[in-house]
Each structure stands twice: as structure tokens, then as C-alpha cells.
Amino acid sequence: MYKFLLTGFMALFAQAALADLIILQYHHVADDTPAVTSISPAQFRKHLQLLEDEGMQVVSLPDAIAALKNGQQLPPRSVAITFDDAYGSIYQNAFPMLAKRNWPFTIFVNPGPVDRGLPDIISWDQLREMQAAGATIANHTMEHPYLIERPQGMSLEQWMQQEVVQADERIQAEMGTSYRFLAYPYGEYSLEIADWLAQHDYTAFGQQSGPAGIDSWWQSIPRFPAAGQYANIDTLKGKLKTLAFNTGNAASEEPALGRQNPPSYTLSFQSDDVKLDALQCYASGEGRIEHTLDHQSGEATLETRATKAITAGRGRYNCTAPSKSQPGYFYWHSQLWINTSVENR
Ligand SMILES: [Zn+2]
């Protein structure tokens, strides 16, 4: 009986772990846009083929997030496709490919540029056309500012009303929907902003890498950037087999670098399924960095710190470790750091 229960539990656990959500993030799908945020239409087609070949289930982001928040299982190997900024090439190049496969996707838009009818930005009519074909249109702030750089003399409440609430209202007016989803411009946030969003029932998405699970922090859900240097098929394939560290919905650390640079970082997680002896952490601009581990009765806490200061506008620490129960799968967690002394980051 005990053995039966244990087997049942392990099967359930394996299934639960397999159901973590991979969210891919794109901007332009074009040959003639800035390389760092672009993927060519030919390469994007290969990504879609990879998702099919890997047996991924392309799911609607609102449905998947609602399920995770309710602690419900997702289909095995779930993936959501997202685009930031509503560039014209999404409508021209990506939409026909996605429509052909009948796959849902999400576009995070800035209503300001859409309202001004900028030439490289999708129109409300085109957004409605994609919505009718299964796309989700969600909030990327009104004007795409660095949210952590609040204008002088403006309260947090005024700033959030101007950039977040008004954008939601414009989307609601044009599309008839509001998901209370926000993708942070540049993936940047502060704990104060995250807290405001939590209090106002917003779910927010970052640009730090990693999968989402039922224990994610809902104020900066990770996404895997999949364009530019991250468009490589082989590395993307590995990211499709990642699991969320079970961190009990814990908030991230404050991303803005304080006095300590490089920053120390601590992550606590349930470790039953984590191969702790193979855990590795990396810092952007440096590569592998040392860590220490404190481990007892199914809980582990890692501490790590880069040796070089983060001089880029944004940096990240990524930690990964293989799963014990699912060969070929890796737990993955990323912490964003923002170097506010860099102006155009
Ligand atoms: Zn953006």
C-alpha cells in the first residue's frame, strides 16, 4: 500500500513538474529591424516547427496563468508565445504563420504609439483582426518608459495611473478586454511598483529568463527572450525543458543595484527533486560564479555573488540544476539587476 502511494505520488509529482509554463518573448519578426531585438521570418518559422517537433502545447497566456494561479495542472509541455511593443512585422510576418497553425499568442502593446498611428506600429484595426483570430492584446504601459524612473513631483499612484491604468483603459475601450496583465518595459521594475501592482490585482511579466510554475511570483513572471542572440535553435530547445524552482511565490530581490556591486543573492527553494551537487550559477558578463548551499529536510538556500561589478544597464544572475525525476530537464531561475547609472539601457 505504502509503495503504491509513493509511486502514485511520484507520478503525480513528475506530471506536475512537467506542466510548468515556458513563455517565449519576441519583438520584431523581420530581416531589416535592429538585430538585438529581431528574429528573421525564416528563423521564426523554424522556432514554430521546433515547438511542433518537440510536442509542445501552445497555450493561451491568460488561460495558462489563471490555471497556474489556481494551482491547476497545465497540459504537459505548455508554451506561450508573446510579442512586446506591437511592431508592424508581427502583423505582417508572424501573424500569418501563427494563424495557419491556429496557435494563440499575446501582444503587449503601448496604446500611446498605437493612438498616434506611428508607421511601424500595428493599428487598433489590425490588433482587432488578430484578436478575432485568437490573440490576446495586453498592457505594456502607455508610453514605454523606464518605470523605475518616476518623473519628479509625481506620486507612485499618479505614475501608475498614467502609465498602467490608462493603458488598460485604452485597451479595454478598443479591444473590449482587460486581463490586468502588464509586461514591464525593458523588463524593469522595483519592489515598490510590484507591490502596487499586486495590490491592484495586476499580474506582471519580466524579461528575466526561466519557466513559470504554480509557485512563481506573479509580479515578475519570467519569460525566455527568443530573438537576437537567443534565437539559436539548440539553446532554445534546452530552454523548452526547464522547470521552475519551487520558491513558494517568494518575491525577487530589489533589482536596482544599491551600494553593493556585484550584489549578493540568496534563493531558497524546495530541493527534493533538485540535483544540488550539479547546481550552477552564472552572471551576465562573467559566466559561471561560485555559490554556497545550505540544505536541510527538503529545503535549500543558495547564496551567490559575482566577482565583477555589473557595468551594463541590466544584468542577471541565472541558476540552474538538473531534475532528479526527469532526465534532461533543468530547474532554472533568474534574478534581474538594474544599473541605474546607465542612462540608455
Ligand atoms: Zn517593450
Side-chain angles (χ1 to χ4, degrees), residues 207-223:
Q207 292 182 26
Q208 80 282 15
S209 56
I214 57 171
D215 285 310
S216 288
W217 182 46
W218 308 117
Q219 266 55 59
S220 184
I221 296 173
R223 296 185 289 168

Side-chain angles (χ1 to χ4, degrees), residues 42-74:
Q43 187 73 355
F44 186 69
R45 190 183 304 277
K46 285 184 192 164
H47 280 199
L48 300 189
Q49 190 59 47
L50 174 71
L51 299 184
E52 184 182 318
D53 294 346
E54 286 287 302
M56 302 297 292
Q57 308 277 324
V58 180
V59 296
S60 136
L61 189 64
D63 291 353
I65 295 297
L68 288 177
K69 283 187 158 185
N70 286 328
Q72 290 167 1
Q73 305 247 330
L74 297 180

Side-chain angles (χ1 to χ4, degrees), residues 249-269:
N249 307 105
S252 79
E253 306 232 357
E254 184 67 70
L257 290 165
R259 272 187 215 143
Q260 191 195 46
N261 186 8
S264 298
Y265 178 64
T266 304
L267 181 71
S268 296
F269 54 93

